[in-house]
Amino acid sequence: MPGYVYIVESPSPRDLFDGRTEGTAICETFKLSGTKHSYSLAVNRAEFERAFALGAGQPFSVAFDDHGQEPPVVHLSMHGSSEGVQLTDGQIITWEELRAILSPINSALPLGLMVTFSTCGGASSIAMSMILGNDEKPFFATVGSIDNVPWDDSLIAYSVFYHHWFKGTRTDQCVELMKAASGHEGFRIYSGEKAKQDFIEYVRKRRGVGGREIGGNHPAA
């Protein structure tokens, strides 16, 4: 089976104490399906950044060696909001900070990364691909919920998503299937390239002729 998923989990202290770890549950489904995957528990910023360090023996060495016909996937399992993701110790990683952490890996991979969010407000991660110029590659895609999502809905949804994704189902169809299976209608997928181009066009219109700012609100993530 092609593909590779890297799960990074940072549960709240209460979730960790009670054994609510969606990331490890996803790993069990990958063991059954034979999907290549790695797992890291990162409870603070230093460990979170270390989880994505490049080098020999690091999890992403697998992705660079053989990622098949699909882009490797980063699956983040933690609490979150429209502002970013939250680590076990309460620190917030904003979308801008997360993009900076993941960009070296995304840029080095031929197809880029798909980043999935088992978090509340994960669909706001579209902001990571809202970049100007050609010096930074957008992510292949981001997947997440536009609102709050219970752990059980998220586990069911992503189990279905990956099951179909690695069987060759189109990403938009995978999202429809995960919504149907979980009963949670908030899941969305955003193409990084489209998000980037839409943002460039939005900024162009805002600047108007000769760079003059014109009216309008920033598009909602």
Side-chain angles (χ1 to χ4, degrees):
M1 176 176 289
Y4 168 75
V5 183
Y6 181 33
I7 304 98
V8 177
E9 187 158 40
S10 193
S12 72
R14 183 59 184 268
D15 287 336
L16 195 57
F17 180 81
D18 290 339
R20 285 188 295 271
T21 52
E22 183 262 4
T24 58
I26 287 285
C27 287
E28 292 302 316
T29 68
F30 289 153
K31 290 176 184 177
L32 290 173
S33 65
T35 302
K36 290 182 181 179
H37 65 283
S38 301
Y39 173 91
S40 291
L41 177 67
V43 300
N44 57 42
R45 183 181 291 266
E47 291 179 0
F48 187 83
E49 293 179 355
R50 190 177 300 119
F52 295 105
L54 293 174
Q58 293 299 111
F60 262 96
S61 62
V62 177
F64 283 105
D65 291 341
D66 178 20
H67 56 76
Q69 299 302 309
E70 294 84 16
V73 181
V74 167
H75 179 93
L76 297 182
S77 178
M78 54 197 64
H79 288 274
S81 69
S82 61
E83 302 301 316
V85 296
Q86 184 174 9
L87 305 179
T88 304
D89 68 353
Q91 285 198 20
I92 302 295
I93 304 289
T94 67
W95 301 126
E96 183 177 359
E97 291 170 331
L98 183 57
R99 182 177 70 214
I101 292 169
L102 295 179
S103 280
I105 299 172
N106 181 63
S107 297
L109 289 163
L111 299 176
L113 280 174
M114 179 161 68
V115 191
T116 60
F117 292 84
S118 191
T119 72
C120 293
S124 294
S125 58
I126 188 177
M128 295 197 302
S129 291
M130 290 180 172
I131 49 181
L132 299 175
N134 297 316
D135 57 339
E136 189 172 352
K137 181 165 67 175
F139 294 92
F140 175 82
T142 56
V143 182
S145 175
I146 60 175
D147 49 24
N148 295 343
V149 55
W151 284 127
D152 56 342
D153 285 355
S154 192
L155 174 60
I156 292 170
Y158 279 109
S159 296
V160 169
F161 177 87
Y162 293 126
H163 178 74
H164 288 281
W165 166 252
F166 290 121
K167 287 183 179 291
T169 305
R170 286 199 339 243
T171 50
D172 57 338
Q173 293 176 339
C174 289
V175 172
E176 292 305 311
L177 289 165
M178 72 191 291
K179 290 194 288 187
S182 66
H184 183 81
E185 292 294 324
F187 290 109
R188 301 287 187 273
I189 184 166
Y190 297 110
S191 161
E193 184 61 38
K194 186 177 187 304
K196 178 179 179 177
Q197 294 306 318
D198 287 350
F199 183 61
I200 290 172
E201 180 64 14
Y202 165 78
V203 172
R204 186 191 68 80
K205 290 181 178 179
R206 283 273 297 179
R207 288 173 177 168
V209 178
R212 180 174 57 85
E213 287 286 328
I214 60 177
N217 296 320
H218 193 287

